[in-house]
Amino acid sequence: MDFVETDEHRDLRAAVAKASAPFGGDYYVDHARRGAECIELWHALGDAGYVGVSVPEEYGGGGGGLVELSLVCEETAAAGAPMLLLLVTHAISAAVIAEYGTEEQRKEWLPGLASGREKVVFAITEPGAGSNTHQLATHARREGDEWVISGEKYYISGVDDAEALLLVARTGKDAKGKAQLSLFLVPTDAPGLQKVPLPVDVLLPEKQFTLRFDDVRVPASALVGDENQGFKQVFHGLNPERITGAALCVGIARYALAKAARYANDRQVWDRPIGAHQGVAHPLAKAKIETELAALMTQKAAWLHDQGLPAGEASNMAKYAAAEAAIAACDAAMQTHGGNGVSQEFGLLPYWGLARLLRIAPVNREMVLNFVAQHSLGLPRSY
């Protein structure tokens, strides 16, 4: 067992940090307050090959795996500019298209995803389904050479900046009456697709949307993978989403702790730095320990996924631990800053808000605890 990163991974971390540094916290916070996409950073990362690090080489990507994509997510966040859409465009959409898409679909979408010049966002959540994917109501029916889609999706990120959706819809029922799902690539400008902004109080560059599908027609070639096999295909992307979400949280925690440590060293009260007081130092030290523990679990989960080994338990644990660590780090950083912790000048609240959101999404911590109780401890299913 080797805990030392390879030279390649250390070089990737350093390169992503260097590419992100000219943007950083001030850039991100300004865009978050305005609700403006961090497109300049996204293009800089794309042009350098980091956005597409996990896309297969034959389609213009770096040919890496989830370990490499997680490093990109973590290092951009540690530089102060967490890229939330990497979770949906690459951890899910690019991975699913690469694994299950036709050769035509791969050639059409993967080069643009690899370059960062196109985005495909993920559309699964619905207001009436919650965490129960079997209850999805959006449905698609086959009419000749087309699929006709009707229904509603909720809390879909980045639709305004994407060329297409990777949509999850019901296409049938199995022998027990449970929903059978299929995946579709749907252009965001498709006739009959209504995009309604969903206001949230969290300061984010990425906007949220409610989507309404009123008999949206797509060609038969829009089907990704096999009809009625979408449940299996969706789960190919859900563990990577949780792992990259964990990596994003680790990066947020690192950024908040670095900012707090600088302030605790520089700020003097009663002729000594405030960091000399255990009441300031210990919460930061505790958050640092929790961040390092979360980072280890995140790395383990990404490695397991890339090795083709079962990664569900580690993915859920990493997501849980990293979200908790990020919230604790942001909270400790804000407390260290005192009143300045909520001032616009120091720009900490947007990171706390994103960390708090990631305690809920892409899977809430209660469902993670349900998973661990049932699958890791063998306890009766509680839901």
Side-chain angles (χ1 to χ4, degrees):
M1 186 177 295
D2 191 351
F3 288 97
V4 178
E5 280 191 329
T6 65
D7 290 342
E8 182 182 50
H9 287 162
R10 283 195 297 271
D11 290 345
L12 177 60
R13 280 190 185 275
V16 174
K18 183 177 179 180
S20 303
F23 300 91
D26 291 343
Y27 167 87
Y28 176 82
V29 169
D30 173 66
H31 283 66
R33 287 175 181 149
R34 293 189 288 113
E37 289 282 351
C38 298
I39 196 67
E40 301 89 355
L41 173 56
W42 189 275
H43 284 169
L45 295 170
D47 293 344
Y50 304 134
V51 165
V53 69
S54 60
V55 174
E57 289 183 292
E58 58 264 39
Y59 303 104
L66 193 58
V67 168
E68 288 75 21
L69 181 59
S70 295
L71 292 180
V72 174
C73 291
E74 181 185 337
E75 290 303 321
T76 52
M83 297 283 97
L84 184 62
L85 285 188
L86 282 173
L87 278 60
V88 292
T89 59
H90 286 75
I92 298 181
S93 296
V96 169
I97 293 170
E99 180 71 19
Y100 297 107
T102 63
E103 185 59 22
E104 290 74 18
Q105 289 169 339
R106 293 173 186 152
K107 288 179 178 178
E108 180 178 2
W109 293 108
L110 291 181
L113 286 167
S115 69
R117 298 294 163 168
E118 292 183 342
K119 294 187 179 79
V120 177
V121 296
F122 188 54
I124 184 171
T125 51
E126 295 183 6
S131 299
N132 189 351
T133 309
H134 293 291
Q135 295 297 318
L136 294 181
T138 298
H139 61 277
R141 66 182 187 277
R142 185 72 180 262
E143 289 189 1
D145 292 332
E146 293 182 315
W147 287 93
V148 184
I149 302 167
S150 299
E152 185 178 59
K153 295 293 180 181
Y154 191 56
Y155 273 106
I156 308 304
S157 303
V159 177
D160 55 328
D161 195 39
E163 283 67 36
L165 312 166
L166 181 62
L167 174 76
V168 185
R170 298 169 62 109
T171 48
K173 291 183 179 181
D174 63 16
K176 297 181 179 180
K178 290 185 176 181
Q180 292 176 312
L181 307 176
S182 299
L183 304 182
F184 300 91
L185 284 163
V186 181
T188 52
D189 61 356
L193 172 56
Q194 183 183 9
K195 303 179 284 288
V196 181
L198 180 61
V200 296
D201 279 339
V202 180
L203 296 176
L204 292 171
E206 301 83 9
K207 298 182 181 67
Q208 305 296 315
F209 289 85
T210 296
L211 304 179
R212 299 191 177 100
F213 299 83
D214 185 11
D215 287 345
V216 173
R217 293 180 175 271
V218 294
S221 59
L223 178 69
V224 179
D226 297 326
E227 182 180 344
N228 295 334
Q229 297 301 309
F231 195 82
K232 173 186 175 182
Q233 294 158 16
V234 162
F235 272 86
H236 181 78
L238 292 188
N239 281 339
E241 184 187 27
R242 291 167 191 184
I243 295 167
T244 50
L248 200 75
C249 284
V250 170
I252 291 170
R254 286 175 52 196
Y255 176 78
L257 288 173
K259 198 173 180 72
R262 286 194 299 271
Y263 189 86
N265 273 307
D266 295 341
R267 173 71 166 158
Q268 294 207 13
V269 179
W270 296 301
D271 300 322
R272 69 181 63 187
I274 62 172
H277 301 291
Q278 291 180 351
V280 173
H282 283 186
L284 296 177
K286 180 174 180 288
K288 171 65 174 175
I289 292 169
E290 292 167 351
T291 300
E292 291 298 322
L293 292 172
L296 284 173
M297 182 55 78
T298 302
Q299 291 162 6
K300 176 182 177 180
W303 183 86
L304 288 171
H305 176 85
D306 284 350
Q307 298 302 312
L309 298 171
E313 179 185 67
S315 301
N316 279 287
M317 288 181 174
K319 189 271 173 188
Y320 179 98
E324 297 301 310
I327 292 171
C330 290
D331 189 69
M334 291 166 62
Q335 196 70 17
T336 298
H337 282 72
N340 287 331
V342 295
S343 72
Q344 288 195 351
E345 177 186 356
F346 289 86
L348 283 166
L349 269 175
Y351 299 97
W352 181 89
L354 178 54
R356 187 63 184 80
L357 173 64
L358 289 168
R359 181 189 268 177
I360 301 168
V363 60
N364 65 51
R365 66 176 183 172
E366 288 73 24
M367 288 304 295
V368 171
L369 294 173
N370 283 336
F371 180 94
V372 172
Q374 180 183 348
H375 296 281
S376 303
L377 298 176
L379 299 177
R381 181 170 175 157
S382 62
Y383 59 97

